[in-house]
Amino acid sequence: MTPTRLATARAAAATAALAAAVALAPAGPVAADTADPYAICPEVYYYVVPEGSPGLDSIAGLILDDAERAAEIYELNAGRTQADGNALGEDRAVLAQWRLVVPFDAGGENVYRGSDPLCVVAVENALAVGEEPPSPPPPPPAYTPPPEDGASPTAQGEVVDLDPDGARPSIDPRLLAGGAVGLVLLTLLTLFWEPVLRGITWPFRAAARARAARAPKRRPTRPGVAARRRRAATEAVAADPDAPRRAAAAHAELLASPADVPARPVALLTSDAGVSAVVPAGATPPMSSWRVVDTTTWRYGSGRSTAPVHFTTAAMTAVREPVRGVLVCLGLEEGGDALVHLDLTRTRGLLAVGGDAGVAADTVRVVGDGLHTAGVRVRVLRPDRPLHSLVADTIPVVSAPDPIQGTVPEPGAFEAVVVPRPLSAADEHVLLDLPPNLLVVAMGESRAARRQWWARDDGTVDTGALGLEVVVRHPERREP
């Protein structure tokens, strides 16, 4: 074979091999990230809601240092279905373990950066059932820095001709008329400035008087301030372990002391200076060391000694057998140094705690722990169960009424049910036929409540008709 034919044969063989390689090659390039089903999830900043978390305003104050930016968090998460099937609604209530998308400048504990957690959960659910991953959700709005101000032509050294035609502007007659009118008004203001000033400022003074007449709006409290106040209340309770005994002794003496109208205290306040009792209006003070401070407050002793109070037992043994009370230490008196022990001896029906979700939940736990410590049988309703699972359908049996204290419950049958969540519509129907010796302690607001308390974000609870504001102590830690 000649060299020319050999070269021609080699070229033909190379062309055939190239054609075969092209035929076996894939039709188009394969994207490197198509094998990753999570690539559709955008990268975001998100916040993991912890247990007992406050509302959306407090979360914004905690991670953004501005409670008014709660609207931004709401816009980023409204309508997004969380892993438990719930979603952020118009009430702006949040639940534990929610993943809330937050602005880019959020920071602090429980704030993370990564793929959208709700999108990741959706992809995992689709892969678990063998379906195609869902189409990616629209990413939350990203931060766009403001554009830099461009340099003006003058700043770049260019000369701008402001009067290209060389014509001098003439004075507008309207400008002259306006100046004349202004001069006349200035002259009148100089001559009659006092009545004119009063007329101008009258709307502002009226608005200021209206604002002063309205009750001041409570500003949201930072979670750190509320935590410090509640920690101080908890430490005050731990520092005075003898307070429950002193309160119980004072309670027994008031019940056993002879009086025209037996004094059943609403609450007992204990401090180093002594013991005070909050009683219903119209009760007759006993013939003992109790002195009247005001219409509903009595104080034991003179109040000038800091020694522990020792109650006598003569009245308790001479009149009748002392009645054991059910006292619950709720926390520290707002604005004072006394521990507040509430008398729940004859409280029946529903005790509802509304307001701030975190403080309300802790208040329900504190009341439940106090009832258990006082010897009351306490049952806790699991979050996934309805109220009628613990409360049987019974017809209330009412004993003969007491003309002073009202209905007398059956002795020795006092029970309590603690509901660590807001009551549902089905639970409200159960409240209409509660047994006479049952106390239900639940979160939220209810028209069927015998006592309605309100929890605030500063760690205090308004006890409503009792007339006391208490800084709630932290619940006792349960053994794992």
Side-chain angles (χ1 to χ4, degrees):
M1 181 179 294
T2 62
T4 303
R5 292 182 179 180
L6 180 59
T8 303
R10 290 179 178 177
T15 303
L18 180 61
V22 172
L24 295 176
V30 179
D33 58 350
T34 54
D36 184 8
Y38 301 98
I40 65 174
C41 299
E43 185 176 8
V44 296
Y45 289 86
Y46 61 93
Y47 173 78
V48 180
V49 180
E51 292 289 342
S53 175
L56 205 61
D57 293 341
S58 298
I59 291 177
L62 185 64
I63 64 176
L64 297 172
D65 291 331
D66 188 358
E68 295 181 357
R69 297 186 63 184
E72 299 181 25
I73 304 178
Y74 176 78
E75 292 177 0
L76 293 175
N77 295 273
R80 287 167 54 88
T81 303
Q82 299 290 330
D84 58 357
N86 298 315
L88 184 64
E90 295 181 356
D91 57 352
R92 299 192 178 185
V94 296
L95 298 178
Q97 301 304 321
W98 277 15
R99 268 64 172 172
L100 301 178
V101 177
V102 296
F104 76 101
D105 55 345
E109 190 176 1
N110 294 340
V111 176
Y112 304 95
R113 177 182 179 182
S115 299
D116 187 349
L118 300 186
C119 177
V120 172
V121 171
V123 172
E124 290 177 352
N125 294 338
L127 295 177
V129 297
E131 297 179 358
E132 289 293 330
S135 57
Y143 171 71
T144 303
E148 298 182 357
D149 297 334
S152 62
T154 305
Q156 297 177 358
E158 299 180 6
V159 179
V160 179
D161 189 2
L162 300 179
D163 189 11
D165 298 335
R168 298 178 59 86
S170 59
I171 300 178
D172 192 347
R174 291 176 296 183
L175 183 61
L176 294 177
V181 172
L183 183 59
V184 172
L185 293 178
L186 184 60
T187 303
L188 294 177
L189 182 61
T190 304
L191 297 176
F192 307 101
W193 65 271
E194 189 172 358
V196 172
L197 185 61
R198 281 200 302 267
I200 294 175
T201 59
W202 177 83
F204 302 98
R205 288 186 284 109
R209 286 194 299 268
R211 285 195 300 270
R214 292 196 303 266
K217 184 179 179 182
R218 295 180 61 91
R219 299 186 62 184
T221 305
R222 295 183 63 86
V225 177
R228 286 194 296 270
R229 288 163 53 87
R230 296 187 58 193
R231 186 163 52 249
T234 306
E235 293 173 353
V237 173
D240 192 0
D242 191 55
R245 186 196 63 80
R246 302 200 309 270
H251 183 267
E253 177 171 302
L254 286 173
L255 294 181
S257 297
D260 296 337
V261 179
R264 175 168 293 278
V266 174
L268 280 302
L269 280 66
T270 60
S271 64
D272 293 339
V275 179
S276 299
V278 180
V279 297
T284 304
M287 299 298 294
S288 62
S289 299
W290 292 92
R291 62 184 180 89
V292 177
V293 178
D294 53 40
T295 306
T296 59
T297 305
W298 299 346
R299 188 169 185 82
Y300 188 87
S302 61
R304 290 189 293 270
S305 175
T306 58
V309 179
H310 300 285
F311 296 94
T312 61
T313 59
M316 290 185 280
T317 57
V319 179
R320 58 179 178 176
E321 183 180 354
V323 180
R324 182 182 180 185
V326 179
L327 302 180
V328 174
C329 182
L330 190 60
L332 194 64
E333 180 187 13
E334 170 71 358
D337 58 351
L339 301 181
V340 179
H341 308 266
L342 299 181
D343 181 14
L344 302 181
T345 306
R346 296 202 173 192
T347 302
R348 302 296 186 271
L350 173 62
L351 169 59
V353 185
D356 184 81
V359 179
D362 287 349
T363 304
V364 170
R365 285 187 55 190
V366 168
V367 173
D369 293 342
L371 292 173
H372 178 72
T373 303
V376 179
R377 181 189 177 192
V378 178
R379 293 176 293 171
V380 180
L381 183 68
R382 293 189 307 183
D384 57 343
R385 298 188 63 186
L387 181 60
H388 66 76
S389 62
L390 290 183
V391 179
D393 297 333
T394 59
I395 301 176
V397 179
V398 180
S399 304
D402 184 345
I404 297 174
Q405 299 296 340
T407 302
V408 179
E410 295 295 334
F414 183 23
E415 296 182 358
V417 173
V418 175
V419 184
R421 59 168 175 79
L423 296 172
S424 62
D427 298 333
E428 293 283 348
H429 289 289
V430 179
L431 298 175
L432 300 177
D433 295 323
L434 288 178
N437 296 323
L438 183 65
L439 171 63
V440 178
V441 185
M443 293 176 57
E445 179 182 0
S446 175
R447 294 183 178 180
R450 296 288 298 274
R451 292 187 180 181
Q452 179 68 62
W453 294 356
W454 296 101
R456 302 193 181 98
D457 58 354
D458 60 354
T460 61
V461 169
D462 184 358
T463 57
L466 301 184
L468 295 172
E469 290 194 7
V470 187
V471 180
V472 181
R473 63 182 177 91
H474 288 292
E476 298 178 359
R477 295 184 177 180
R478 296 183 173 88
E479 295 295 334

